[in-house]
Amino acid sequence: MSQADLLAQDPVFQLKGSMLAITVMELAHNDLERLDAQLTEKVAQAPAFFSNTPLVLALDKLPEGEGELDLAQLMALCRRHGLRTLAIRAVRESDVAAAEAMDLPVLPPSGARERPIDPAPPKKVEVKPAEPEHKPARVVTTPVRGGQQIYAQGGDLIVLAAVSAGAELLADGNIHVYAPMRGRALAGIKGNTKARIFCQQMGAEMLSIAGHYKVAEDLRRDPLWGDAVHVSLSGDVLNITRL
């Protein structure tokens, strides 16, 4: 067998299953003007949440009496607010036809339960935090995959394996990641301003201490991006220093 024949048999791709965190926007009314105004308000509350967020547009709950939906205009509106439409969920023939004309995947109505999410950051309450109850650190030894959320209540969180993009770490105390950190880490979530974040390789989507945060866009500009770092809070500013 020639070298060309061997090369032709070498696989070029591999199909893999994946659990991705995708937001579903379920439209209750065909009113793009009101949608634009309400999205503008939401983006102002939590701009990090609306940065290139993958989106499924759920149109299957739209009332029949509100006329046909301009899908192209709707997608352009979402794109202006940082929402990237991957597919639609629809049953009406007009919506399905519009999606197919734009080569956009159409998903059937979902039978799974979906929970509403509020991207707004928690409101800060100017009260003296109560003395935290001491609890042993929570230790995670396996990789944290996209879509997973791990919370260390009342103490520190220690992760000894890689944290993938789309994963979320939360702790009332400190967060330690002794591996590449590509997801989101929120320390001191109940107002502990003394909490710290330590990671062996900073590649995070978001780092937050006591509600003060930096997102990937800011973190990538930091000269310590990709390095081992220590993150602390000084006033309202996150300080990132080399470990």
Side-chain angles (χ1 to χ4, degrees):
M1 185 177 290
S2 69
Q3 185 175 0
D5 292 332
L6 290 173
L7 184 61
Q9 294 179 4
D10 185 28
V12 178
F13 71 93
Q14 185 177 21
L15 298 176
K16 293 186 175 182
S18 175
M19 293 179 62
L20 300 176
I22 297 178
T23 300
V24 176
M25 179 190 286
E26 187 176 276
L27 291 189
H29 297 286
N30 182 10
D31 189 334
L32 299 188
E33 184 176 346
R34 275 201 298 158
L35 175 62
D36 191 17
Q38 291 174 11
L39 274 178
T40 299
E41 183 180 347
K42 285 292 184 184
V43 172
Q45 292 173 354
F49 180 85
F50 291 90
S51 178
N52 289 319
T53 299
L55 181 73
V56 170
L57 284 170
L59 312 179
D60 48 330
K61 301 295 176 62
L62 282 173
E64 288 290 342
E66 295 191 358
E68 290 192 10
L69 179 73
D70 189 332
L71 182 58
Q73 187 177 349
L74 172 59
M75 290 175 58
L77 187 156
C78 292
R79 191 162 52 248
R80 289 199 304 271
H81 292 290
L83 299 168
R84 308 296 179 180
T85 304
L86 302 182
I88 71 165
R89 200 173 74 198
V91 292
R92 298 192 307 184
E93 291 184 4
S94 57
D95 296 330
V96 172
E100 290 176 346
M102 301 170 67
D103 199 23
L104 188 69
V106 179
L107 306 179
S110 174
R113 286 189 177 181
E114 296 163 349
R115 58 180 181 87
I117 59 173
D118 185 357
K123 295 181 180 178
K124 296 179 207 174
V125 180
E126 298 296 331
V127 295
K128 183 179 178 180
E131 289 296 323
E133 178 187 352
H134 176 72
K135 289 189 177 181
R138 180 175 181 180
V139 180
V140 177
T141 59
T142 56
V144 185
R145 307 195 182 279
Q148 283 187 277
Q149 183 185 80
I150 297 178
Y151 174 37
Q153 184 176 11
D156 293 356
L157 177 60
I158 300 174
V159 181
L160 304 178
V163 180
S164 299
E168 190 170 66
L169 308 179
L170 303 100
D172 293 340
N174 306 309
I175 294 177
H176 307 253
V177 181
Y178 297 104
M181 170 63 201
R182 299 187 181 90
R184 294 183 287 180
L186 294 83
I189 63 172
K190 291 186 178 177
N192 181 5
T193 57
K194 302 298 184 183
R196 309 290 178 98
I197 299 173
F198 305 86
C199 56
Q200 193 175 63
Q201 183 180 328
M202 181 179 71
E205 296 173 320
M206 183 176 75
L207 298 177
S208 170
I209 296 177
H212 302 276
Y213 62 87
K214 285 188 177 182
V215 295
E217 184 179 351
D218 303 315
L219 296 171
R220 286 195 186 95
R221 291 196 289 263
D222 195 286
L224 297 180
W225 175 260
D227 293 344
V229 299
H230 162 222
V231 186
S232 59
L233 184 63
S234 177
D236 293 338
V237 179
L238 290 187
N239 292 325
I240 302 176
T241 57
R242 189 184 304 275
L243 274 178

